[in-house]
Amino acid sequence: MESSSANWSKKSWADLLKKSVPEDFYSRETLQVAKDLLGKLVVVRTKPTQNWGDARAGVTVSRIVETEAYRADDPASHSCRGETPRSAIMFGDPGKAYIYFIYGMYEMLNFVTEPRGYAGAVLIRAVEPVYGETLMTKRRQSSATKTSRTGLTNGPGRLTQALGIKMAHKGESLWGPTFYVIDDGIRPNAMDSSPRVGIRVATDKYWRFFVPGNPYVSKCRENSLSKPV
DNA sequence: CGTTCGATGCACT
DNA sequence: GTGCATCGAACGT
């Protein structure tokens, strides 16, 4: 899959943002949404007031290369025991950002799926930078982890840091003003699946999806178990 | 670090 | 017995 930054950068922002995927994209079966999100662009626009100094606010664009599906009937999902204060958003309207904080360090970015009343979400596990790499590097440099180029965004905790995503963004819409998910017509040329990372249940479910060979896909044990979709 | 759950204790009826 | 508040431990997409 190519970055094709030349393709979109010639268009105005307005034209780009018009290509946001519609609500009925998210209002579907979570596994299908997780697969279809591969190749989509994520635009994130943060303001100086949102935790960052001026130097760390701004716009990034990146392409999704790795996702995981989490369903209501799924013991690995935060929604599996019904609604709690934290998981309530997964039962609500699709097309919103579900962000949670884990291990005392990492924000995780998810998109809410399924119609209202049915819980589901897709975890964004890795993206490929398309625009704003300098800004991403600035945000990542304060981290204890020194990064290679791919280390900018090749994992769920790293990409939220690089894109400036915080818990304060939980519940925000995927039609702005912070998040936009764009279909620019580019499709991955292949898709693999594997067990999901970091869970101890439902390990027989191949609900992690990624673009094989893409350097920004996270490196983990599960890669050796992957198979084509 | 934040969330959740089970154990515990207390008020109330 | 029921229900609610509080606490601590475990664990985490």
Side-chain angles (χ1 to χ4, degrees):
Chain A
M1 187 166 58
E2 305 300 325
S3 291
S4 78
S5 60
N7 191 30
W8 63 263
S9 63
K10 289 174 185 167
K11 303 176 182 305
S12 69
W13 277 107
D15 281 349
L16 183 70
L17 300 185
K18 270 184 210 159
K19 294 183 177 178
S20 284
V21 299
E23 173 162 11
D24 61 14
F25 176 91
Y26 302 100
S27 180
R28 295 183 297 152
E29 207 281 315
T30 303
L31 287 182
Q32 196 58 50
V33 179
K35 296 174 192 173
D36 291 345
L37 277 170
L38 292 184
K40 298 290 185 288
L41 295 177
V42 182
V43 176
V44 183
R45 306 195 297 187
T46 64
K47 301 182 184 116
T49 51
Q50 292 169 328
N51 323 314
W52 307 108
D54 287 345
R56 290 187 179 184
V59 179
T60 60
V61 181
S62 45
R63 197 177 298 281
I64 298 171
V65 298
E66 180 179 342
T67 61
E68 284 179 359
Y70 287 87
R71 310 198 320 189
D73 61 346
D74 173 3
S77 173
H78 290 159
S79 66
C80 72
R81 288 178 233 236
E83 235 177 286
T84 65
R86 179 174 63 168
S87 69
I89 186 174
M90 298 176 74
F91 291 82
D93 290 330
K96 290 190 173 169
Y98 168 38
I99 297 160
Y100 64 88
F101 192 65
I102 194 169
Y103 302 143
M105 322 175 230
Y106 301 125
E107 283 91 4
M108 298 275 145
L109 173 65
N110 299 251
F111 297 159
V112 175
T113 60
E114 309 274 350
R116 166 167 278 278
Y118 298 84
V122 173
L123 170 68
I124 309 303
R125 277 197 54 90
V127 300
E128 175 174 348
V130 173
Y131 172 83
E133 201 168 321
T134 306
L135 180 55
M136 297 184 200
T137 304
K138 264 186 217 162
R139 288 166 173 160
R140 288 279 295 144
Q141 264 177 355
S142 61
S143 142
T145 314
K146 289 302 166 193
T147 59
S148 63
R149 189 157 180 277
T150 55
L152 268 184
T153 56
N154 67 346
R158 290 175 173 186
L159 76 87
T160 51
Q161 202 171 38
L163 306 188
I165 296 168
K166 295 289 185 183
M167 277 300 286
H169 296 114
K170 180 180 178 183
E172 288 203 24
S173 151
L174 301 183
W175 296 276
T178 302
F179 301 109
Y180 300 84
V181 181
I182 310 289
D183 184 357
D184 68 350
I186 293 182
R187 297 279 179 275
N189 46 33
M191 186 189 317
D192 279 5
S193 65
S194 83
R196 293 167 294 177
V197 178
I199 58 173
R200 314 170 74 117
V201 293
T203 50
D204 58 319
K205 301 290 193 294
Y206 276 49
W207 288 352
R208 170 177 176 248
F209 305 100
F210 59 97
V211 180
N214 186 289
Y216 290 89
V217 170
S218 66
K219 307 293 184 295
C220 56
R221 191 172 49 81
E222 280 72 8
N223 286 353
S224 62
L225 303 170
S226 69
K227 57 190 184 189
V229 175

